[in-house]
Amino acid sequence: MKSPALQPLSMAGLQLMTPASSPMGPFFGLPWQQEAIHDNIYTPRKYQVELLEAALDHNTIVCLNTGSGKTFIAVLLTKELAHQIRGDLNPHAKRTVFLVNSANQVAQQVSAVRTHSDLKVGEYSDLEVNASWTKERWSQEFTKHQVLIMTCYVALTVLKNGYLSLSDINLLVFDECHLAILDHPYREIMKLCESCPSCPRILGLTASILNGKCDPEELEEKIQKLERILRSDAETATDLVVLDRYTSQPCEIVVDCGPFTDRSGLYERLLMELEAALDFINDCNVAVHSKERDSTLISKQILSDCRAVLVVLGPWCADKVAGMMVRELQKYIKHEQEELHRKFLLFTDTLLRKIHALCEEYFSPASLDLKYVTPKVMKLLEILRKYKPYERQQFESVEWYNNRNQDNYVSWSDSEDDDDD
């Protein structure tokens, strides 16, 4: 008589092997037989099965930490729905589409699907090449492959040109789905779903459901906005203690870098200039109505950021940041229509150019001078050097930086030709 605990455990497409059900006998799985297990056999963790069941029931946004197996959940869902994609495309079968944000993520997803399933996978990452394909060529791809893994840019082109209809897709997987909050191809694809009578099942994967920072009181609103865009419900594991056992646990150490000592006096001069400029702007009595822009906001932000870089990283880095900010300010100044706003932007631009001029008295902006960076930067360089491949030893010294392509330098010109980038 067989014990109920040793019976096969199954979910429509998911077969978990137990001693009683194993063709290798009841002793299958003992230590000396572990080597016989193929490397593409994985037992889903409890939280993965929990989220898989949610995804089978309704459109779902899976929110899990990096390294917790979100892609594996997507593959399990694909296998559960595999009966819909086996066979020739329409009217007999549909296709599953995995969407990723960048080309280098395509190969990773392709490897996961091929490892954990027997489905035929097509990969499409080059927008220029794929955009030139004809409808006949795409039809051949859809006939040959059951799972299509492509960048969101390729997918948007395919859908807009009518090479593949949303009604021909049974499952649409969005990797890094939080990007849909922005003006992104993910959002454009979801807009196409609004006019589709038979929208596919949606599965979103994200380790960061919020695309950026937000105040605690805005958290619920942000999550609900993403749910509305993807027409899905956000879900995560109910047992977070179990989840923590499987996710990345980084080793954190505190490094004491020591204080920055600048005997040249440049650091104090730059700090005095920036703080005096910030004090001046803060003392300006500018009336701001609720519906008007704050004329000093951009100037305050730029000067505060430059001051923070000076304090944390040192004069050399502050000079580099000042150059980048001047480039950005030129664009603001060029398009600003309000006279008061323009005056504050010009004031900030002048101050940043003064910072650069002061730095030129002490070091050449075109070369890296380690006397003008803080111990924190030096310690960071030491840490990064440990991870540098041995074959790139020529990067060891500052000569590489000092002899690099001149095109990398920041231009301090007022010419509008600089805006062509």
Side-chain angles (χ1 to χ4, degrees), residues 348-373:
T348 308
D349 178 79
T350 302
L351 192 282
L352 293 177
R353 291 177 185 275
K354 186 176 182 180
I355 295 295
H356 175 65
L358 289 173
C359 291
E360 280 190 314
E361 296 178 11
Y362 292 83
F363 56 82
S364 170
S367 61
L368 174 59
D369 195 331
L370 298 180
K371 295 196 300 293
Y372 296 101
V373 296

Side-chain angles (χ1 to χ4, degrees), residues 75-131:
V75 176
L76 291 176
L77 180 60
T78 302
K79 293 170 68 176
E80 289 289 323
L81 304 177
H83 62 281
Q84 300 174 357
I85 60 176
R86 297 188 187 276
D88 295 334
L89 181 64
N90 202 14
H92 306 293
K94 297 188 176 185
R95 293 294 175 256
T96 293
V97 178
F98 276 64
L99 302 180
V100 296
N101 184 49
S102 60
N104 57 356
Q105 296 171 310
V106 171
Q108 178 183 345
Q109 303 290 334
V110 169
S111 175
V113 178
R114 286 177 176 166
T115 298
H116 301 295
S117 77
D118 62 345
L119 298 168
K120 297 175 183 177
V121 185
E123 52 185 300
Y124 315 93
S125 58
D126 192 326
L127 179 60
E128 290 187 12
V129 172
N130 298 141

Side-chain angles (χ1 to χ4, degrees), residues 322-334:
M324 298 175 196
M325 291 176 171
V326 164
R327 290 289 296 271
E328 292 302 311
L329 270 173
Q330 289 299 311
K331 298 174 184 176
Y332 279 108
I333 293 169
K334 181 179 178 181

Side-chain angles (χ1 to χ4, degrees), residues 293-349:
R293 291 182 296 151
D294 184 354
S295 302
T296 64
L297 182 62
I298 295 177
S299 297
K300 287 178 182 177
Q301 186 66 55
I302 287 178
L303 295 178
S304 297
D305 288 348
C306 193
R307 183 190 182 281
V309 171
L310 173 65
V311 172
V312 176
L313 304 178
W316 189 86
C317 295
D319 177 57
K320 295 299 165 190
V321 168
M324 298 175 196
M325 291 176 171
V326 164
R327 290 289 296 271
E328 292 302 311
L329 270 173
Q330 289 299 311
K331 298 174 184 176
Y332 279 108
I333 293 169
K334 181 179 178 181
H335 300 290
E336 184 55 65
Q337 301 297 322
E338 291 288 338
E339 185 61 27
L340 185 58
H341 290 58
R342 184 179 175 84
K343 284 181 178 179
F344 276 108
L345 294 177
L346 288 170
F347 167 78
T348 308
D349 178 79

Side-chain angles (χ1 to χ4, degrees), residues 288 320 399:
V288 180
K320 295 299 165 190
E399 280 76 11

